[in-house]
Amino acid sequence: MASRLSDGVYVRDTVQITPKLMVVGPFGVGKTTLIGAVSEIEPLRTEELMTQNGAATDDLSGVPDKRSTTVALDFGRLTLADDLVLYLFGTPGQQRFTHIWEDLSRGAYGALVLADSRYLDQSFEALSLVEKSALPYIVALNAFPDTPDYPEAELREALDLDPGTPLVTCDARDRQSAKTALVTLVKHLYAGHQESS
Ligand SMILES: Nc1nc2c(ncn2[C@@H]2O[C@H](COP(=O)(O)OP(=O)(O)OP(=O)(O)O)[C@@H](O)[C@H]2O)c(=O)[nH]1
Ligand SMILES: [Mg+2]
């Protein structure tokens, strides 16, 4: 059994809570990277190479080395405690895939909205999708090397965040940092659940 656990085939038999969580955000913000960094199973990826045909719509200014894009979903799994396993679903970031969101997010419990503070306006669409679907969420700013250090109050105002919505910074490539952002989301969901029960 131990070896199957490490294969990622089984979860521990103490697991009781398995929320489906969405990782959303604009094109190239780091959703696939974050799920790959934290997943304890081989993450499912649906990456396709980007071609010259997409040059007009795929804005690579923040991620000049990016070569592929998610066309359906990312999927990963993270055990946070003996009784708690997260199932992570990443969405495609390109606007032409927005219709996939409704199907993918069915049954989700909450969302991590990844944002890039160099291009905050690009996050508005993802924020409005989670708000429309009434999913509780937090915002995690994925820090890139040239990300300016804006005061939190300015970032909150620019994103029009409710005072109760957590705003954190993470490095989507770093397992511990990405995990900390997910823990913040889970605590936020738990606090909301406590309030409503
Ligand atoms: N410097 C830096 N680069 C990052 C970071 N996160 C992601 N990248 C790079 O930025 C690019 C975008 O990452 P992806 O994970 O593909 O982004 P995505 O949000 O899944 O993109 P789409 O699925 O196309 O919307 C990749 O080339 C990553 O290596 C980060 O935290 N810092
Ligand atoms: Mg992706």
Side-chain angles (χ1 to χ4, degrees), residues 47-95:
E47 294 292 290
E48 292 293 341
L49 275 183
M50 293 187 296
T51 65
Q52 202 51 39
N53 293 339
T57 49
D58 303 340
D59 181 359
L60 288 170
S61 17
V63 280
D65 298 330
K66 190 170 163 62
R67 296 284 172 268
S68 65
T69 188
T70 305
V71 294
L73 80 162
D74 302 301
F75 175 74
R77 192 187 84 195
L78 173 65
T79 298
L80 272 193
D82 283 345
D83 60 348
L84 174 63
V85 171
L86 310 183
Y87 287 102
L88 303 169
F89 288 75
T91 55
Q94 293 173 316
Q95 287 189 348

Short mmCIF file of all heavy atoms in Angstrom, two decimals, residues 47-95:
data_model
loop_
_atom_site.label_atom_id
_atom_site.label_comp_id
_atom_site.label_asym_id
_atom_site.label_seq_id
_atom_site.Cartn_x
_atom_site.Cartn_y
_atom_site.Cartn_z
N GLU A 47 -0.91 21.14 -22.99
CA GLU A 47 -0.16 22.25 -23.59
C GLU A 47 -0.05 22.05 -25.10
O GLU A 47 0.19 20.94 -25.57
CB GLU A 47 1.26 22.28 -23.02
CG GLU A 47 1.33 22.61 -21.55
CD GLU A 47 0.92 24.04 -21.26
OE1 GLU A 47 1.66 24.97 -21.61
OE2 GLU A 47 -0.16 24.23 -20.69
N GLU A 48 -0.23 23.12 -25.82
CA GLU A 48 0.03 23.09 -27.27
C GLU A 48 1.04 24.17 -27.59
O GLU A 48 1.02 25.25 -26.97
CB GLU A 48 -1.26 23.35 -28.07
CG GLU A 48 -2.30 22.24 -27.96
CD GLU A 48 -1.86 20.93 -28.62
OE1 GLU A 48 -0.94 20.94 -29.46
OE2 GLU A 48 -2.44 19.88 -28.25
N LEU A 49 1.90 23.88 -28.53
CA LEU A 49 2.88 24.88 -28.94
C LEU A 49 2.18 26.09 -29.52
O LEU A 49 1.19 25.96 -30.25
CB LEU A 49 3.80 24.30 -30.03
CG LEU A 49 4.99 23.49 -29.56
CD1 LEU A 49 5.81 23.07 -30.77
CD2 LEU A 49 5.87 24.32 -28.61
N MET A 50 2.66 27.27 -29.19
CA MET A 50 2.09 28.47 -29.78
C MET A 50 2.79 28.72 -31.12
O MET A 50 3.98 28.47 -31.26
CB MET A 50 2.29 29.66 -28.86
CG MET A 50 1.49 29.50 -27.59
SD MET A 50 1.53 30.94 -26.56
CE MET A 50 3.23 31.02 -26.16
N THR A 51 2.02 29.19 -32.07
CA THR A 51 2.61 29.44 -33.40
C THR A 51 2.46 30.91 -33.74
O THR A 51 1.79 31.68 -33.04
CB THR A 51 1.90 28.62 -34.48
OG1 THR A 51 0.55 29.10 -34.57
CG2 THR A 51 1.90 27.14 -34.16
N GLN A 52 3.01 31.27 -34.86
CA GLN A 52 2.94 32.65 -35.35
C GLN A 52 1.49 33.09 -35.53
O GLN A 52 1.16 34.25 -35.39
CB GLN A 52 3.72 32.73 -36.67
CG GLN A 52 4.21 34.12 -37.05
CD GLN A 52 4.96 34.81 -35.93
OE1 GLN A 52 5.74 34.17 -35.20
NE2 GLN A 52 4.71 36.08 -35.74
N ASN A 53 0.59 32.10 -35.78
CA ASN A 53 -0.82 32.44 -36.03
C ASN A 53 -1.46 33.14 -34.83
O ASN A 53 -2.42 33.87 -34.97
CB ASN A 53 -1.64 31.17 -36.32
CG ASN A 53 -1.23 30.54 -37.61
OD1 ASN A 53 -0.65 31.22 -38.45
ND2 ASN A 53 -1.50 29.25 -37.77
N GLY A 54 -0.92 32.86 -33.62
CA GLY A 54 -1.52 33.45 -32.43
C GLY A 54 -0.86 34.76 -32.03
O GLY A 54 -1.25 35.37 -31.02
N ALA A 55 0.10 35.21 -32.81
CA ALA A 55 0.90 36.38 -32.40
C ALA A 55 0.03 37.62 -32.12
O ALA A 55 0.33 38.41 -31.22
CB ALA A 55 1.95 36.68 -33.45
N ALA A 56 -1.08 37.73 -32.85
CA ALA A 56 -1.90 38.92 -32.68
C ALA A 56 -2.66 38.91 -31.36
O ALA A 56 -2.98 39.95 -30.79
CB ALA A 56 -2.88 39.03 -33.84
N THR A 57 -2.97 37.71 -30.83
CA THR A 57 -3.78 37.63 -29.62
C THR A 57 -2.96 37.25 -28.38
O THR A 57 -3.31 37.61 -27.27
CB THR A 57 -4.91 36.59 -29.77
OG1 THR A 57 -4.33 35.39 -30.26
CG2 THR A 57 -6.01 37.07 -30.66
N ASP A 58 -1.88 36.49 -28.57
CA ASP A 58 -1.11 36.00 -27.42
C ASP A 58 -0.04 37.02 -27.05
O ASP A 58 1.00 37.10 -27.71
CB ASP A 58 -0.47 34.64 -27.74
CG ASP A 58 -1.50 33.61 -28.15
OD1 ASP A 58 -2.68 33.82 -27.83
OD2 ASP A 58 -1.13 32.62 -28.79
N ASP A 59 -0.31 37.79 -26.00
CA ASP A 59 0.61 38.86 -25.61
C ASP A 59 1.74 38.28 -24.76
O ASP A 59 1.55 37.93 -23.60
CB ASP A 59 -0.17 39.92 -24.83
CG ASP A 59 0.72 41.08 -24.43
OD1 ASP A 59 1.94 41.04 -24.76
OD2 ASP A 59 0.21 42.03 -23.80
N LEU A 60 2.92 38.19 -25.34
CA LEU A 60 4.06 37.56 -24.65
C LEU A 60 4.95 38.58 -23.97
O LEU A 60 6.06 38.23 -23.54
CB LEU A 60 4.88 36.76 -25.67
CG LEU A 60 4.23 35.48 -26.17
CD1 LEU A 60 5.01 34.90 -27.35
CD2 LEU A 60 4.15 34.45 -25.05
N SER A 61 4.49 39.83 -23.83
CA SER A 61 5.42 40.84 -23.29
C SER A 61 5.95 40.48 -21.90
O SER A 61 7.12 40.69 -21.62
CB SER A 61 4.80 42.24 -23.27
OG SER A 61 3.43 42.20 -23.40
N GLY A 62 5.10 39.87 -21.04
CA GLY A 62 5.59 39.55 -19.69
C GLY A 62 6.33 38.23 -19.62
O GLY A 62 7.05 37.97 -18.67
N VAL A 63 6.13 37.36 -20.63
CA VAL A 63 6.73 36.02 -20.61
C VAL A 63 7.34 35.70 -21.98
O VAL A 63 6.86 34.83 -22.70
CB VAL A 63 5.69 34.94 -20.20
CG1 VAL A 63 5.48 34.91 -18.70
CG2 VAL A 63 4.35 35.17 -20.90
N PRO A 64 8.42 36.41 -22.34
CA PRO A 64 8.96 36.27 -23.70
C PRO A 64 9.45 34.87 -24.05
O PRO A 64 9.51 34.51 -25.21
CB PRO A 64 10.12 37.27 -23.74
CG PRO A 64 10.42 37.60 -22.31
CD PRO A 64 9.16 37.38 -21.54
N ASP A 65 9.76 34.04 -23.01
CA ASP A 65 10.27 32.70 -23.29
C ASP A 65 9.17 31.65 -23.39
O ASP A 65 9.46 30.47 -23.59
CB ASP A 65 11.25 32.26 -22.19
CG ASP A 65 12.45 33.18 -22.14
OD1 ASP A 65 12.80 33.72 -23.21
OD2 ASP A 65 13.02 33.36 -21.03
N LYS A 66 7.93 32.08 -23.23
CA LYS A 66 6.83 31.10 -23.23
C LYS A 66 6.66 30.51 -24.64
O LYS A 66 6.62 31.25 -25.62
CB LYS A 66 5.54 31.81 -22.79
CG LYS A 66 4.37 30.90 -22.52
CD LYS A 66 3.26 31.72 -21.86
CE LYS A 66 1.91 31.03 -21.92
NZ LYS A 66 1.86 29.76 -21.22
N ARG A 67 6.53 29.17 -24.71
CA ARG A 67 6.44 28.50 -26.01
C ARG A 67 5.13 27.74 -26.19
O ARG A 67 4.79 27.36 -27.29
CB ARG A 67 7.60 27.48 -26.17
CG ARG A 67 8.97 28.13 -26.19
CD ARG A 67 9.25 28.79 -27.56
NE ARG A 67 10.48 29.57 -27.53
CZ ARG A 67 10.54 30.87 -27.24
NH1 ARG A 67 9.43 31.55 -26.97
NH2 ARG A 67 11.68 31.51 -27.21
N SER A 68 4.42 27.45 -25.06
CA SER A 68 3.20 26.66 -25.20
C SER A 68 2.10 27.27 -24.34
O SER A 68 2.37 28.12 -23.48
CB SER A 68 3.46 25.21 -24.76
OG SER A 68 3.76 25.17 -23.38
N THR A 69 0.88 26.84 -24.61
CA THR A 69 -0.26 27.38 -23.85
C THR A 69 -1.25 26.26 -23.56
O THR A 69 -1.34 25.29 -24.31
CB THR A 69 -0.94 28.52 -24.66
OG1 THR A 69 -1.92 29.16 -23.83
CG2 THR A 69 -1.62 28.00 -25.92
N THR A 70 -1.98 26.41 -22.44
CA THR A 70 -2.98 25.41 -22.05
C THR A 70 -4.21 25.54 -22.94
O THR A 70 -4.74 26.64 -23.08
CB THR A 70 -3.37 25.61 -20.57
OG1 THR A 70 -2.19 25.58 -19.78
CG2 THR A 70 -4.34 24.54 -20.10
N VAL A 71 -4.65 24.40 -23.51
CA VAL A 71 -5.82 24.49 -24.40
C VAL A 71 -7.06 23.82 -23.81
O VAL A 71 -8.14 23.94 -24.36
CB VAL A 71 -5.53 23.90 -25.79
CG1 VAL A 71 -4.48 24.72 -26.52
CG2 VAL A 71 -5.11 22.45 -25.69
N ALA A 72 -6.93 23.09 -22.71
CA ALA A 72 -8.12 22.50 -22.09
C ALA A 72 -8.07 22.67 -20.58
O ALA A 72 -8.87 23.40 -20.00
CB ALA A 72 -8.26 21.03 -22.46
N LEU A 73 -7.14 22.02 -19.92
CA LEU A 73 -7.05 22.15 -18.47
C LEU A 73 -5.70 21.65 -17.95
O LEU A 73 -4.96 20.97 -18.67
CB LEU A 73 -8.17 21.37 -17.77
CG LEU A 73 -7.99 19.85 -17.61
CD1 LEU A 73 -8.94 19.33 -16.55
CD2 LEU A 73 -8.20 19.10 -18.89
N ASP A 74 -5.40 22.02 -16.72
CA ASP A 74 -4.32 21.40 -15.95
C ASP A 74 -5.01 20.68 -14.80
O ASP A 74 -6.05 21.13 -14.32
CB ASP A 74 -3.40 22.44 -15.31
CG ASP A 74 -2.77 23.37 -16.33
OD1 ASP A 74 -2.07 22.87 -17.22
OD2 ASP A 74 -2.97 24.60 -16.21
N PHE A 75 -4.41 19.58 -14.34
CA PHE A 75 -4.97 18.90 -13.18
C PHE A 75 -3.82 18.42 -12.30
O PHE A 75 -2.83 17.87 -12.80
CB PHE A 75 -5.83 17.70 -13.61
CG PHE A 75 -6.33 16.90 -12.45
CD1 PHE A 75 -7.35 17.39 -11.65
CD2 PHE A 75 -5.76 15.68 -12.13
CE1 PHE A 75 -7.80 16.67 -10.55
CE2 PHE A 75 -6.21 14.94 -11.04
CZ PHE A 75 -7.23 15.45 -10.25
N GLY A 76 -3.95 18.66 -11.00
CA GLY A 76 -2.93 18.18 -10.07
C GLY A 76 -3.57 17.89 -8.72
O GLY A 76 -4.75 18.19 -8.49
N ARG A 77 -2.79 17.26 -7.84
CA ARG A 77 -3.32 16.89 -6.53
C ARG A 77 -2.30 17.22 -5.46
O ARG A 77 -1.09 17.05 -5.67
CB ARG A 77 -3.59 15.38 -6.52
CG ARG A 77 -4.40 14.92 -5.33
CD ARG A 77 -4.48 13.41 -5.31
NE ARG A 77 -3.31 12.85 -4.68
CZ ARG A 77 -2.94 11.57 -4.77
NH1 ARG A 77 -3.66 10.72 -5.48
NH2 ARG A 77 -1.87 11.14 -4.15
N LEU A 78 -2.79 17.75 -4.33
CA LEU A 78 -1.88 18.10 -3.24
C LEU A 78 -2.50 17.70 -1.91
O LEU A 78 -3.61 18.15 -1.56
CB LEU A 78 -1.63 19.63 -3.24
CG LEU A 78 -0.84 20.18 -2.07
CD1 LEU A 78 0.60 19.64 -2.06
CD2 LEU A 78 -0.80 21.71 -2.13
N THR A 79 -1.79 16.85 -1.15
CA THR A 79 -2.25 16.49 0.20
C THR A 79 -1.78 17.57 1.16
O THR A 79 -0.58 17.83 1.26
CB THR A 79 -1.67 15.12 0.62
OG1 THR A 79 -2.15 14.13 -0.30
CG2 THR A 79 -2.09 14.75 2.03
N LEU A 80 -2.72 18.21 1.86
CA LEU A 80 -2.34 19.28 2.80
C LEU A 80 -2.31 18.79 4.23
O LEU A 80 -1.64 19.36 5.07
CB LEU A 80 -3.32 20.45 2.70
CG LEU A 80 -3.04 21.56 1.69
CD1 LEU A 80 -3.92 22.75 1.98
CD2 LEU A 80 -1.58 21.96 1.65
N ALA A 81 -3.09 17.77 4.53
CA ALA A 81 -3.12 17.22 5.90
C ALA A 81 -3.62 15.79 5.78
O ALA A 81 -4.06 15.37 4.71
CB ALA A 81 -4.06 18.04 6.78
N ASP A 82 -3.54 15.04 6.88
CA ASP A 82 -3.96 13.63 6.83
C ASP A 82 -5.38 13.47 6.28
O ASP A 82 -5.69 12.47 5.65
CB ASP A 82 -3.92 13.02 8.24
CG ASP A 82 -2.49 12.71 8.64
OD1 ASP A 82 -1.62 12.69 7.74
OD2 ASP A 82 -2.25 12.52 9.84
N ASP A 83 -6.22 14.48 6.58
CA ASP A 83 -7.63 14.34 6.17
C ASP A 83 -8.00 15.25 5.00
O ASP A 83 -9.16 15.35 4.64
CB ASP A 83 -8.54 14.64 7.36
CG ASP A 83 -8.35 16.06 7.89
OD1 ASP A 83 -7.36 16.71 7.49
OD2 ASP A 83 -9.18 16.50 8.69
N LEU A 84 -7.03 15.95 4.41
CA LEU A 84 -7.37 16.98 3.42
C LEU A 84 -6.50 16.90 2.17
O LEU A 84 -5.27 17.05 2.24
CB LEU A 84 -7.18 18.36 4.09
CG LEU A 84 -7.34 19.58 3.20
CD1 LEU A 84 -8.75 19.69 2.64
CD2 LEU A 84 -7.01 20.85 4.00
N VAL A 85 -7.15 16.62 1.05
CA VAL A 85 -6.45 16.56 -0.24
C VAL A 85 -7.09 17.55 -1.21
O VAL A 85 -8.32 17.57 -1.35
CB VAL A 85 -6.53 15.13 -0.84
CG1 VAL A 85 -6.00 15.11 -2.27
CG2 VAL A 85 -5.74 14.15 0.02
N LEU A 86 -6.27 18.37 -1.84
CA LEU A 86 -6.80 19.34 -2.80
C LEU A 86 -6.72 18.77 -4.22
O LEU A 86 -5.69 18.21 -4.60
CB LEU A 86 -5.99 20.64 -2.78
CG LEU A 86 -5.73 21.28 -1.42
CD1 LEU A 86 -4.97 22.60 -1.60
CD2 LEU A 86 -7.04 21.51 -0.66
N TYR A 87 -7.79 18.93 -4.97
CA TYR A 87 -7.77 18.60 -6.39
C TYR A 87 -7.75 19.92 -7.15
O TYR A 87 -8.65 20.75 -7.00
CB TYR A 87 -8.98 17.76 -6.76
CG TYR A 87 -8.85 16.35 -6.24
CD1 TYR A 87 -9.52 15.93 -5.11
CD2 TYR A 87 -7.97 15.46 -6.87
CE1 TYR A 87 -9.35 14.64 -4.61
CE2 TYR A 87 -7.79 14.17 -6.37
CZ TYR A 87 -8.48 13.77 -5.25
OH TYR A 87 -8.29 12.51 -4.75
N LEU A 88 -6.69 20.13 -7.89
CA LEU A 88 -6.44 21.43 -8.51
C LEU A 88 -6.73 21.40 -10.01
O LEU A 88 -6.17 20.56 -10.74
CB LEU A 88 -4.98 21.83 -8.29
CG LEU A 88 -4.54 21.88 -6.83
CD1 LEU A 88 -3.02 22.03 -6.74
CD2 LEU A 88 -5.24 23.03 -6.11
N PHE A 89 -7.56 22.30 -10.44
CA PHE A 89 -7.91 22.39 -11.86
C PHE A 89 -7.47 23.75 -12.39
O PHE A 89 -7.92 24.78 -11.90
CB PHE A 89 -9.43 22.25 -12.06
CG PHE A 89 -9.93 20.85 -11.84
CD1 PHE A 89 -10.06 20.33 -10.56
CD2 PHE A 89 -10.27 20.06 -12.91
CE1 PHE A 89 -10.50 19.04 -10.34
CE2 PHE A 89 -10.73 18.76 -12.71
CZ PHE A 89 -10.84 18.25 -11.43
N GLY A 90 -6.59 23.75 -13.36
CA GLY A 90 -6.14 25.00 -13.98
C GLY A 90 -6.90 25.21 -15.28
O GLY A 90 -7.17 24.26 -16.03
N THR A 91 -7.24 26.46 -15.53
CA THR A 91 -7.99 26.78 -16.75
C THR A 91 -7.04 27.31 -17.82
O THR A 91 -5.95 27.77 -17.51
CB THR A 91 -9.05 27.86 -16.46
OG1 THR A 91 -8.37 28.99 -15.89
CG2 THR A 91 -10.10 27.36 -15.50
N PRO A 92 -7.47 27.29 -19.08
CA PRO A 92 -6.69 28.00 -20.10
C PRO A 92 -6.81 29.50 -19.85
O PRO A 92 -7.84 29.98 -19.35
CB PRO A 92 -7.39 27.63 -21.41
CG PRO A 92 -8.31 26.51 -21.10
CD PRO A 92 -8.67 26.65 -19.65
N GLY A 93 -5.78 30.26 -20.18
CA GLY A 93 -5.81 31.69 -19.89
C GLY A 93 -6.29 32.54 -21.06
O GLY A 93 -6.66 33.69 -20.88
N GLN A 94 -6.27 31.95 -22.25
CA GLN A 94 -6.60 32.77 -23.41
C GLN A 94 -8.09 33.03 -23.48
O GLN A 94 -8.90 32.15 -23.20
CB GLN A 94 -6.13 32.07 -24.68
CG GLN A 94 -4.63 32.00 -24.74
CD GLN A 94 -4.18 31.17 -25.92
OE1 GLN A 94 -4.73 30.11 -26.17
NE2 GLN A 94 -3.20 31.65 -26.63
N GLN A 95 -8.44 34.25 -23.92
CA GLN A 95 -9.85 34.64 -23.90
C GLN A 95 -10.70 33.73 -24.76
O GLN A 95 -11.87 33.50 -24.47
CB GLN A 95 -9.99 36.08 -24.39
CG GLN A 95 -9.51 37.05 -23.34
CD GLN A 95 -9.82 38.47 -23.70
OE1 GLN A 95 -10.21 38.77 -24.82
NE2 GLN A 95 -9.65 39.37 -22.74
#
